[in-house]
Every structure is written in C-alpha cells, then in structure tokens.
Amino acid sequence: MKANNGGRRGKVVWGGRVRVAVAVLCAVAVTSCSETVRTGQASSYLVMTSLSGANGVPVASDVISDKGSIFADTGTAAFRLEMKDVLNQPSANNAITLTQYHVEYVRADGHNVPGVDVPYAFDGGVTLTITGTGSIPFTLVRIQAKEEAPLKALRFGGGAVTISTVAKVTFYGRDQTGREVSVTGNVEVNFADWAG
C-alpha cells in the first residue's frame, strides 16, 4: 500500500508560508516601533521653520573683535506646532515646552575631533512654550569656545584661515502630558578672525 504524502507536503508548504508571513509581520512591527520611538509618543510635533545667527546665514563667527574682546554668537530658532493627525486641532495638552538644546559642530571634510578640529559640543537651557508658532534666541557659539583650540589659534590671522562648520542644533522638550519631543536644524558657521 502506498503512503499518501500529499497531505504532509501541503502542511509543510503551508507551514513555510506561515513562517514567511510571521517574519514579514515582525519586520513591519519592528519598523513601526522604531518609527514611533524616533518621532516620539506625543500627538503633536515641532517644525523648525528657520535657524539663523544674529548676523545672518551663514554665520560669520569672529574669534576676537578688533578691540580684542570676545563675544558669544547668538542664534534664533523659529518653530511651528503641528499635529500628527491632521484632522485634529491642537488642544492645551498639545502645546510643547522647550527646555534645553544641544549644539554640535561638524566639518564636511570629516575632521571632527572636538577641541582639535571643531569646538566642543555643548548643552544650553531655554524655556519656550509653543501653541502655534514661536521663536527663541539661544547661544550658538559660547565664549569659552573662542578661548580654546581650535578657535583660539585663529586669532590675529586677519581672516586668512577659516574653519567652516555646520552647527547641528537640537531642541528638546515635552508636550503638556509629559511626552518627549525634539527637533533638529542645521546652520553654517564659519570661524575666523574677521576683524584682523
């Protein structure tokens, strides 16, 4: 008598299809989770509508003034509140309060060692609650960065040597229910002894 393997083969094929389907669903679930984690749990988010220095864009950061003084460079960031679900109108719970920011400098040529090639990254504090739109000034380049390498070495060069960087500025905050929100923007910052 011949054994009927047709039923067994059908189960093996069906089992293989189930494993593939489960693998695909797991991949989609992991992707969805990482997307949710990356964008945060809040139902609202911020769009950075502009990021500039006090003297425009690109920022010309003078490492020492013509009178020998050193000043911090300030920037201004502007924001707009948006809802993840475009059918919802923002409520008081969706307002986002910014509490701190982080500035990191990078160079296009890949020379990015802090204190050698670029100024050290730093954190600063801010307080701004955004319900629609808003803007806030912040420190883009600290005074101490101009007293340290590599910026200190640019003094008295008359603009002959420039360090060109991109400042990556990330603002952090929470909506009114405590869910974390962040937004990042970039601005070009060129360091030199512009006054000579």
Side-chain angles (χ1 to χ4, degrees):
M1 207 170 174
K2 285 188 176 180
N4 183 357
N5 290 334
R8 184 177 291 152
R9 182 180 297 155
K11 288 181 184 177
V12 170
V13 171
W14 174 249
R17 288 181 183 157
V18 168
R19 281 192 291 273
V20 169
V22 168
V24 169
L25 286 175
C26 286
V28 170
V30 168
T31 303
S32 298
C33 287
S34 66
E35 180 71 16
T36 301
V37 169
R38 190 165 50 83
T39 58
Q41 300 294 323
S43 56
S44 57
Y45 65 96
L46 291 178
V47 174
M48 189 180 299
T49 56
S50 70
L51 180 63
S52 62
N55 60 5
V57 175
V59 177
S61 178
D62 200 349
V63 295
I64 190 167
S65 74
D66 57 349
K67 297 185 179 177
S69 300
I70 299 170
F71 299 98
D73 293 300
T74 59
T76 302
F79 308 93
R80 182 178 71 240
L81 181 85
E82 294 287 351
M83 297 297 293
K84 288 182 181 174
D85 182 348
V86 296
L87 300 177
N88 287 342
Q89 292 296 318
S91 70
N93 285 345
N94 301 122
I96 295 174
T97 301
L98 297 175
T99 56
Q100 69 181 56
Y101 66 96
H102 178 79
V103 179
E104 177 182 5
Y105 306 96
V106 296
R107 287 173 36 171
D109 61 7
H111 296 277
N112 293 316
V113 177
V116 176
D117 303 310
V118 294
Y120 289 100
F122 71 95
D123 295 300
V126 293
T127 302
L128 174 67
T129 299
I130 301 169
T131 57
T133 61
S135 64
I136 192 165
F138 67 97
T139 300
L140 182 60
V141 181
R142 299 178 304 162
I143 291 174
Q144 39 288 44
K146 297 180 180 183
E147 293 282 7
E148 301 169 339
L151 302 186
K152 189 173 184 177
L154 299 177
R155 292 181 182 177
F156 311 112
V161 179
T162 303
I163 297 176
S164 296
T165 68
V166 173
K168 178 181 177 183
V169 185
T170 303
F171 288 87
Y172 300 94
R174 289 181 168 80
D175 71 6
Q176 303 311 298
T177 64
R179 293 176 288 194
E180 294 183 357
V181 175
S182 66
V183 62
T184 301
N186 297 321
V187 63
E188 184 179 346
V189 181
N190 297 315
F191 299 100
D193 181 3
W194 299 109

